Protein backbone atom coordinates (compact mmCIF):
# COMPACT_ATOMS: atom_id res chain seq x y z
CA UNK A 1 0.00 0.00 0.00
CA UNK A 2 1.35 3.40 -1.01
CA UNK A 3 2.02 6.25 1.39
CA UNK A 4 -0.82 8.71 1.98
CA UNK A 5 1.36 11.59 0.83
CA UNK A 6 4.31 10.90 -1.49
CA UNK A 7 7.49 12.81 -0.64
CA UNK A 8 8.99 14.60 -3.63
CA UNK A 9 12.74 15.04 -3.94
CA UNK A 10 15.45 14.88 -6.59
CA UNK A 11 17.60 11.77 -6.48
CA UNK A 12 20.14 13.64 -8.59
CA UNK A 13 20.86 15.80 -5.53
CA UNK A 14 21.89 12.83 -3.41
CA UNK A 15 25.61 12.41 -2.88
CA UNK A 16 27.18 9.86 -5.21
CA UNK A 17 29.54 8.18 -2.73
CA UNK A 18 26.83 6.80 -0.43
CA UNK A 19 24.82 3.63 -0.85
CA UNK A 20 21.82 4.22 1.45
CA UNK A 21 19.86 7.34 2.36
CA UNK A 22 17.00 8.17 4.71
CA UNK A 23 15.13 11.17 3.32
CA UNK A 24 13.34 13.10 6.09
CA UNK A 25 10.65 15.61 5.13
CA UNK A 26 10.79 18.39 7.74
CA UNK A 27 7.64 19.99 6.40
CA UNK A 28 5.72 16.80 7.19
CA UNK A 29 7.19 16.82 10.69
CA UNK A 30 5.85 20.35 11.17
CA UNK A 31 2.42 19.47 9.83
CA UNK A 32 2.22 16.47 12.15
CA UNK A 33 3.21 18.63 15.10
CA UNK A 34 0.55 21.24 14.40
CA UNK A 35 -2.08 18.57 13.68
CA UNK A 36 -1.56 17.18 17.18
CA UNK A 37 -1.18 20.64 18.69
CA UNK A 38 -4.59 21.60 17.31
CA UNK A 39 -6.05 18.50 18.97
CA UNK A 40 -4.57 19.57 22.31
CA UNK A 41 -5.16 23.32 22.24
CA UNK A 42 -5.37 23.55 26.04
CA UNK A 43 -2.33 21.35 26.70
CA UNK A 44 1.38 21.65 26.04
CA UNK A 45 3.12 19.22 23.69
CA UNK A 46 6.35 17.69 24.92
CA UNK A 47 7.92 15.61 22.17
CA UNK A 48 9.56 12.23 22.67
CA UNK A 49 12.88 12.50 20.86
CA UNK A 50 14.56 9.42 22.31
CA UNK A 51 16.56 6.92 20.23
CA UNK A 52 17.95 9.68 18.00
CA UNK A 53 14.42 10.97 17.33
CA UNK A 54 13.25 7.46 16.44
CA UNK A 55 16.17 7.17 14.02
CA UNK A 56 15.56 10.43 12.13
CA UNK A 57 18.43 12.41 13.69
CA UNK A 58 17.68 14.32 16.88
CA UNK A 59 19.62 17.52 16.11
CA UNK A 60 17.70 18.52 12.99
CA UNK A 61 14.37 17.29 14.33
CA UNK A 62 14.85 19.15 17.59
CA UNK A 63 15.72 22.37 15.75
CA UNK A 64 12.66 22.00 13.52
CA UNK A 65 10.33 21.46 16.47
CA UNK A 66 11.88 24.39 18.31
CA UNK A 67 10.92 26.59 15.36
CA UNK A 68 7.35 25.29 15.79
CA UNK A 69 7.33 26.52 19.38
CA UNK A 70 8.06 23.26 21.17
CA UNK A 71 10.35 23.69 24.19
CA UNK A 72 9.85 20.42 26.10
CA UNK A 73 11.44 17.13 25.07
CA UNK A 74 11.56 13.60 26.48
CA UNK A 75 14.50 11.21 26.12
CA UNK A 76 15.23 7.77 27.57
CA UNK A 77 18.72 8.00 29.06
CA UNK A 78 21.04 10.43 30.80
CA UNK A 79 23.40 10.37 27.82
CA UNK A 80 20.57 11.34 25.46
CA UNK A 81 19.51 14.12 27.81
CA UNK A 82 22.97 15.67 28.04
CA UNK A 83 23.41 15.47 24.26
CA UNK A 84 20.10 17.09 23.36
CA UNK A 85 20.82 19.96 25.73
CA UNK A 86 23.73 20.86 23.44
CA UNK A 87 21.23 21.73 20.71
CA UNK A 88 19.80 24.51 22.88
CA UNK A 89 20.55 25.13 26.56
CA UNK A 90 17.07 26.55 27.16
CA UNK A 91 15.30 23.27 26.39
CA UNK A 92 13.26 21.60 29.10
CA UNK A 93 14.42 17.98 28.98
CA UNK A 94 13.05 14.96 30.85
CA UNK A 95 14.99 11.70 31.20
CA UNK A 96 12.38 8.95 31.33
CA UNK A 97 14.56 6.12 32.64
CA UNK A 98 15.74 8.14 35.61
CA UNK A 99 19.23 7.17 36.73
CA UNK A 100 21.14 4.06 37.69
CA UNK A 101 24.39 5.43 39.10
CA UNK A 102 25.53 8.53 40.98
CA UNK A 103 27.93 9.96 38.41
CA UNK A 104 25.23 10.41 35.77
CA UNK A 105 22.84 11.70 38.44
CA UNK A 106 25.27 14.48 39.40
CA UNK A 107 25.61 15.54 35.77
CA UNK A 108 21.83 15.63 35.31
CA UNK A 109 21.27 17.68 38.47
CA UNK A 110 23.97 20.22 37.61
CA UNK A 111 22.68 20.57 34.04
CA UNK A 112 19.12 21.29 35.20
CA UNK A 113 17.67 18.30 33.34
CA UNK A 114 14.45 16.88 34.75
CA UNK A 115 14.99 13.38 36.12
CA UNK A 116 11.94 11.13 35.97
CA UNK A 117 11.80 9.28 39.30
CA UNK A 118 10.41 5.76 39.02
CA UNK A 119 10.84 4.26 42.50
CA UNK A 120 11.49 5.02 46.17
CA UNK A 121 15.23 4.32 45.88
CA UNK A 122 15.61 6.95 43.16
CA UNK A 123 13.51 9.45 45.10
CA UNK A 124 15.48 9.04 48.35
CA UNK A 125 18.80 9.17 46.48
CA UNK A 126 17.77 12.33 44.65
CA UNK A 127 16.70 14.06 47.86
CA UNK A 128 19.95 13.05 49.58
CA UNK A 129 22.22 14.24 46.74
CA UNK A 130 20.27 17.48 46.33
CA UNK A 131 20.78 18.20 50.01
CA UNK A 132 24.54 17.57 49.77
CA UNK A 133 24.90 19.73 46.65
CA UNK A 134 22.54 22.39 47.98
CA UNK A 135 20.80 22.30 44.58
CA UNK A 136 17.08 21.67 44.15
CA UNK A 137 17.12 18.90 41.57
CA UNK A 138 14.53 19.19 38.81
CA UNK A 139 12.43 16.06 38.48
CA UNK A 140 9.15 14.36 37.59
CA UNK A 141 7.29 11.55 39.31
CA UNK A 142 6.19 8.53 37.28
CA UNK A 143 3.23 6.57 38.63
CA UNK A 144 2.43 3.21 37.05
CA UNK A 145 -1.27 2.87 36.19
CA UNK A 146 -1.15 -0.41 34.30
CA UNK A 147 1.93 -0.67 32.10
CA UNK A 148 3.91 -2.53 34.80
CA UNK A 149 7.20 -1.39 33.37
CA UNK A 150 8.55 1.70 35.16
CA UNK A 151 7.04 3.85 37.87
CA UNK A 152 5.73 3.82 41.44
CA UNK A 153 2.78 1.60 42.21
CA UNK A 154 -0.40 3.56 42.82
CA UNK A 155 -0.32 2.56 46.48
CA UNK A 156 3.14 4.12 46.87
CA UNK A 157 1.90 7.63 46.10
CA UNK A 158 1.39 8.26 49.83
CA UNK A 159 5.06 7.42 50.47
CA UNK A 160 6.11 10.07 47.96
CA UNK A 161 4.01 12.76 49.59
CA UNK A 162 5.35 11.86 53.03
CA UNK A 163 8.95 12.63 51.95
CA UNK A 164 10.62 16.01 52.41
CA UNK A 165 9.94 17.29 48.90
CA UNK A 166 11.17 20.81 49.64
CA UNK A 167 14.70 19.73 48.68
CA UNK A 168 13.67 18.89 45.10
CA UNK A 169 11.65 20.63 42.40
CA UNK A 170 8.89 18.37 41.08
CA UNK A 171 7.44 19.87 37.90
CA UNK A 172 5.43 16.93 36.55
CA UNK A 173 3.53 13.83 37.59
CA UNK A 174 3.12 11.39 34.72
CA UNK A 175 1.96 7.94 33.74
CA UNK A 176 1.97 6.03 30.44
CA UNK A 177 -0.87 4.46 28.45
CA UNK A 178 -0.25 0.85 27.46
CA UNK A 179 -2.76 0.36 24.63
CA UNK A 180 -3.86 3.79 23.42
CA UNK A 181 -3.73 2.77 19.74
CA UNK A 182 -6.81 0.62 20.44
CA UNK A 183 -9.59 3.12 21.16
CA UNK A 184 -11.97 0.33 22.15
CA UNK A 185 -9.68 -1.05 24.87
CA UNK A 186 -11.09 -0.87 28.39
CA UNK A 187 -7.53 -0.42 29.62
CA UNK A 188 -7.53 3.20 28.50
CA UNK A 189 -10.40 4.23 30.75
CA UNK A 190 -9.05 2.11 33.61
CA UNK A 191 -5.71 3.92 33.42
CA UNK A 192 -7.46 7.28 33.15
CA UNK A 193 -9.46 6.55 36.29
CA UNK A 194 -6.30 5.58 38.19
CA UNK A 195 -4.45 8.68 36.98
CA UNK A 196 -7.24 10.95 38.19
CA UNK A 197 -6.80 9.31 41.59
CA UNK A 198 -3.08 10.10 41.36
CA UNK A 199 -3.79 13.71 40.48
CA UNK A 200 -6.05 14.11 43.51
CA UNK A 201 -3.31 12.82 45.82
CA UNK A 202 -0.89 15.51 44.58
CA UNK A 203 -3.38 18.39 44.52
CA UNK A 204 -1.69 20.25 47.38
CA UNK A 205 1.60 20.66 45.50
CA UNK A 206 1.46 24.00 43.69
CA UNK A 207 2.39 24.56 40.02
CA UNK A 208 2.44 20.82 39.34
CA UNK A 209 1.63 19.60 35.83
CA UNK A 210 0.13 16.23 34.93
CA UNK A 211 0.74 14.08 31.84
CA UNK A 212 -0.83 10.81 30.66
CA UNK A 213 -1.20 10.85 26.85
CA UNK A 214 1.31 9.52 24.38
CA UNK A 215 0.78 9.85 20.60
CA UNK A 216 -2.43 7.86 20.26
CA UNK A 217 -3.63 8.93 23.68
CA UNK A 218 -4.10 12.41 22.24
CA UNK A 219 -6.66 11.00 19.81
CA UNK A 220 -8.75 9.23 22.47
CA UNK A 221 -10.46 12.29 23.95
CA UNK A 222 -9.69 15.55 25.74
CA UNK A 223 -10.13 13.74 29.06
CA UNK A 224 -6.71 12.17 28.52
CA UNK A 225 -4.83 15.40 27.76
CA UNK A 226 -4.30 17.03 31.18
CA UNK A 227 -1.54 19.71 31.19
CA UNK A 228 0.98 18.06 28.87
CA UNK A 229 0.89 15.38 26.15
CA UNK A 230 3.95 13.42 25.06
CA UNK A 231 3.65 12.37 21.39
CA UNK A 232 6.44 10.45 19.74
CA UNK A 233 5.78 8.24 16.73
CA UNK A 234 2.95 10.27 15.18
CA UNK A 235 5.22 13.32 15.01
CA UNK A 236 7.43 11.29 12.67
CA UNK A 237 4.56 9.84 10.66
CA UNK A 238 4.73 6.45 12.40
CA UNK A 239 1.44 4.82 13.27
CA UNK A 240 0.74 1.87 15.55
CA UNK A 241 -2.95 1.60 14.69
CA UNK A 242 -4.44 -0.50 11.92
CA UNK A 243 -5.97 2.51 10.14
CA UNK A 244 -4.29 5.56 8.68
CA UNK A 245 -4.85 8.71 10.69
CA UNK A 246 -6.17 11.49 8.53
CA UNK A 247 -3.93 14.49 9.11
CA UNK A 248 -0.76 12.55 9.88
CA UNK A 249 1.74 12.73 7.02
CA UNK A 250 4.48 10.35 6.02
CA UNK A 251 7.89 11.89 6.72
CA UNK A 252 10.36 9.20 5.61
CA UNK A 253 11.72 7.53 2.49
CA UNK A 254 14.50 4.95 2.74
CA UNK A 255 16.55 4.49 -0.44
CA UNK A 256 19.43 2.28 -1.45
CA UNK A 257 21.68 2.27 -4.48
CA UNK A 258 22.29 -0.44 -7.08
CA UNK A 259 25.99 -1.25 -6.82
CA UNK A 260 26.17 -4.23 -9.20
CA UNK A 261 24.05 -5.96 -11.84
CA UNK A 262 24.74 -9.46 -13.13
CA UNK A 263 23.15 -12.32 -15.00
CA UNK A 264 22.70 -15.69 -13.31
CA UNK A 265 21.78 -18.98 -14.90
CA UNK A 266 18.97 -21.34 -14.06
CA UNK A 267 19.98 -23.50 -11.10
CA UNK A 268 22.49 -21.04 -9.61
CA UNK A 269 22.22 -19.93 -5.97
CA UNK A 270 22.17 -16.43 -4.50
CA UNK A 271 23.33 -15.36 -1.05
CA UNK A 272 24.25 -17.08 2.18
CA UNK A 273 22.96 -20.57 2.91
CA UNK A 274 21.84 -21.28 -0.68
CA UNK A 275 18.31 -20.24 0.29
CA UNK A 276 17.50 -19.06 -3.23
CA UNK A 277 17.90 -21.16 -6.37
CA UNK A 278 17.13 -19.55 -9.74
CA UNK A 279 14.29 -21.28 -11.59
CA UNK A 280 15.33 -19.55 -14.83
CA UNK A 281 18.04 -17.32 -16.22
CA UNK A 282 17.68 -14.03 -14.36
CA UNK A 283 19.02 -10.50 -14.11
CA UNK A 284 19.79 -9.56 -10.52
CA UNK A 285 20.94 -6.39 -8.75
CA UNK A 286 22.98 -6.13 -5.57
CA UNK A 287 22.02 -3.20 -3.32
CA UNK A 288 24.16 -1.37 -0.76
CA UNK A 289 21.96 -2.00 2.26
CA UNK A 290 21.66 -4.81 4.78
CA UNK A 291 20.44 -5.58 8.26
CA UNK A 292 23.10 -3.37 9.90
CA UNK A 293 21.55 -0.46 7.98
CA UNK A 294 17.99 -1.19 9.10
CA UNK A 295 16.71 -3.64 6.47
CA UNK A 296 15.55 -6.56 8.65
CA UNK A 297 16.83 -9.98 7.65
CA UNK A 298 13.32 -11.45 7.87
CA UNK A 299 11.81 -9.05 5.30
CA UNK A 300 10.47 -11.07 2.37
CA UNK A 301 8.60 -8.41 0.42
CA UNK A 302 9.39 -6.23 -2.59
CA UNK A 303 11.49 -3.13 -3.13
CA UNK A 304 10.41 -0.44 -5.59
CA UNK A 305 11.74 1.51 -8.54
CA UNK A 306 9.23 3.86 -10.15
CA UNK A 307 6.27 1.58 -10.90
CA UNK A 308 8.31 -1.63 -10.77
CA UNK A 309 8.38 -3.95 -7.78
CA UNK A 310 11.35 -6.27 -7.31
CA UNK A 311 11.38 -9.30 -4.97
CA UNK A 312 14.31 -9.75 -2.62
CA UNK A 313 16.07 -13.03 -3.38
CA UNK A 314 18.40 -14.88 -1.06
CA UNK A 315 19.18 -13.93 2.53
CA UNK A 316 19.63 -10.27 3.39
CA UNK A 317 23.16 -9.95 4.75
CA UNK A 318 24.83 -7.37 6.97
CA UNK A 319 25.71 -4.87 4.23
CA UNK A 320 23.96 -6.07 1.08
CA UNK A 321 20.81 -7.53 -0.36
CA UNK A 322 19.87 -8.84 -3.80
CA UNK A 323 16.76 -8.35 -5.92
CA UNK A 324 15.48 -9.90 -9.13
CA UNK A 325 15.25 -7.13 -11.75
CA UNK A 326 14.46 -9.31 -14.76
CA UNK A 327 11.24 -7.35 -15.31
CA UNK A 328 13.08 -4.03 -15.84
CA UNK A 329 15.81 -3.99 -18.44
CA UNK A 330 16.38 -0.24 -17.98
CA UNK A 331 17.65 -0.36 -14.40
CA UNK A 332 21.34 0.53 -14.12
CA UNK A 333 24.17 0.65 -11.59
CA UNK A 334 23.85 3.76 -9.32
CA UNK A 335 20.06 3.93 -9.72
CA UNK A 336 18.18 4.37 -6.44
CA UNK A 337 15.75 1.73 -5.17
CA UNK A 338 13.11 2.53 -2.57
CA UNK A 339 12.88 0.32 0.51
CA UNK A 340 9.85 2.11 1.95
CA UNK A 341 8.26 5.54 1.97
CA UNK A 342 6.30 6.39 -1.17
CA UNK A 343 5.49 3.06 -2.87
CA UNK A 344 5.05 1.12 0.34
CA UNK A 345 4.38 2.86 3.65
CA UNK A 346 6.74 2.25 6.55
CA UNK A 347 3.79 0.86 8.53
CA UNK A 348 3.07 -1.79 5.88
CA UNK A 349 6.77 -2.50 5.52
CA UNK A 350 7.00 -3.05 9.28
CA UNK A 351 3.97 -5.34 9.18
CA UNK A 352 5.77 -7.48 6.57
CA UNK A 353 8.62 -7.78 9.09
CA UNK A 354 6.26 -8.80 11.91
CA UNK A 355 7.11 -5.66 13.86
CA UNK A 356 6.11 -1.99 14.17
CA UNK A 357 7.30 1.11 12.35
CA UNK A 358 8.93 2.46 15.55
CA UNK A 359 11.40 -0.42 15.51
CA UNK A 360 12.10 -0.08 11.78
CA UNK A 361 12.97 3.64 11.92
CA UNK A 362 14.90 3.36 15.20
CA UNK A 363 17.17 0.64 13.80
CA UNK A 364 18.26 2.47 10.66
CA UNK A 365 22.04 2.38 11.03
CA UNK A 366 24.44 5.28 11.44
CA UNK A 367 26.06 4.81 8.04
CA UNK A 368 22.72 5.50 6.32
CA UNK A 369 22.96 9.19 5.54
CA UNK A 370 20.08 11.38 6.74
CA UNK A 371 19.05 13.89 4.10
CA UNK A 372 16.60 16.60 5.17
CA UNK A 373 14.23 18.22 2.73
CA UNK A 374 11.92 21.15 3.34
CA UNK A 375 9.45 21.68 0.48
CA UNK A 376 11.82 22.17 -2.47
CA UNK A 377 14.95 22.74 -0.38
CA UNK A 378 17.28 19.81 0.13
CA UNK A 379 20.05 19.76 2.67
CA UNK A 380 22.57 17.16 3.88
Amino acid sequence: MKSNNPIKFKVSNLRKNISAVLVVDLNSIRKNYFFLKNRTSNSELGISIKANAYGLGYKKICQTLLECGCKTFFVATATEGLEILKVNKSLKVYVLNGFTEENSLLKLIKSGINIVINNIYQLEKLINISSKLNIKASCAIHIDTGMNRLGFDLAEAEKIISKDLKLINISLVMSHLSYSEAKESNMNNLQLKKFIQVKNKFKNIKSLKFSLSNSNGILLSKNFHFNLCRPGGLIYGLNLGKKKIKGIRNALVLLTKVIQIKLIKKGEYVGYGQKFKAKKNSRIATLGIGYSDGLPRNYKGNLSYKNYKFPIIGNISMDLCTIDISSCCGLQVNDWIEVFGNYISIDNFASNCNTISYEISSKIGARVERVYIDNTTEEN
Side-chain angles (χ1 to χ4, degrees), residues 7-210:
I7 296 174
K8 297 180 180 180
F9 56 93
K10 295 180 180 179
V11 293
S12 59
N13 288 357
L14 301 178
R15 290 201 298 121
K16 295 181 179 180
N17 60 341
I18 53 176
S19 58
V21 168
L22 180 67
V23 178
V24 181
D25 186 349
L26 298 177
N27 193 42
S28 289
I29 301 288
R30 290 193 196 93
K31 288 183 180 295
N32 292 340
Y33 174 86
F34 285 115
F35 169 79
L36 294 175
K37 182 63 180 171
N38 290 337
R39 298 291 293 264
T40 59
S41 56
N42 295 322
S43 303
E44 180 186 357
L45 286 190
I47 307 303
S48 176
I49 204 162
K50 58 189 177 181
N52 196 26
Y54 291 50
L56 280 65
Y58 75 90
K59 290 182 180 179
K60 195 68 178 180
I61 300 303
C62 188
Q63 291 167 354
T64 300
L65 293 171
L66 268 172
E67 293 168 4
C68 294
C70 181
K71 297 180 180 178
T72 301
F73 295 89
F74 289 82
V75 297
T77 67
T79 299
E80 288 181 340
L82 295 167
E83 282 298 313
I84 195 175
L85 208 57
K86 294 177 183 179
V87 175
N88 189 307
K89 293 182 179 180
S90 67
L91 298 181
K92 192 168 188 177
V93 179
Y94 289 84
V95 174
L96 293 165
N97 292 5
F99 63 92
T100 55
E101 47 90 23
E102 191 168 313
N103 186 46
S104 64
L105 174 59
L106 293 173
K107 291 180 181 179
L108 292 173
I109 292 174
K110 292 177 181 179
S111 68
I113 288 175
N114 290 271
I115 306 157
V116 178
I117 302 303
N118 294 291
N119 52 61
I120 288 292
Y121 166 78
Q122 289 184 342
L123 179 61
E124 292 177 344
K125 186 73 172 179
L126 186 67
I127 291 173
N128 181 261
I129 296 296
S130 294
S131 178
K132 289 181 179 179
L133 293 177
N134 196 27
I135 300 175
K136 292 186 71 172
S138 300
C139 64
I141 300 294
H142 182 187
I143 307 290
D144 177 40
T145 56
M147 177 73 84
N148 286 316
R149 191 178 58 175
L150 286 176
F152 292 87
D153 291 336
L154 189 60
E156 292 181 303
E158 298 294 342
K159 294 182 181 180
I160 301 170
I161 298 169
S162 68
K163 298 293 180 180
D164 186 0
L165 302 179
K166 294 179 181 178
L167 296 172
I168 57 177
N169 181 26
I170 304 174
S171 61
L172 184 71
V173 173
M174 59 173 284
S175 190
H176 197 70
L177 295 169
S178 64
Y179 200 23
S180 59
E181 63 270 24
K183 291 184 178 182
E184 71 282 1
S185 173
N186 292 330
M187 190 64 176
N188 294 317
N189 287 326
L190 177 62
Q191 287 192 261
L192 176 61
K193 182 179 179 179
K194 288 182 177 180
F195 193 66
I196 291 172
Q197 294 175 18
V198 170
K199 183 181 179 183
N200 290 335
K201 289 180 181 295
F202 285 90
K203 62 184 179 182
N204 292 328
I205 300 179
K206 296 180 180 180
S207 303
L208 197 58
K209 292 184 177 181
F210 295 87

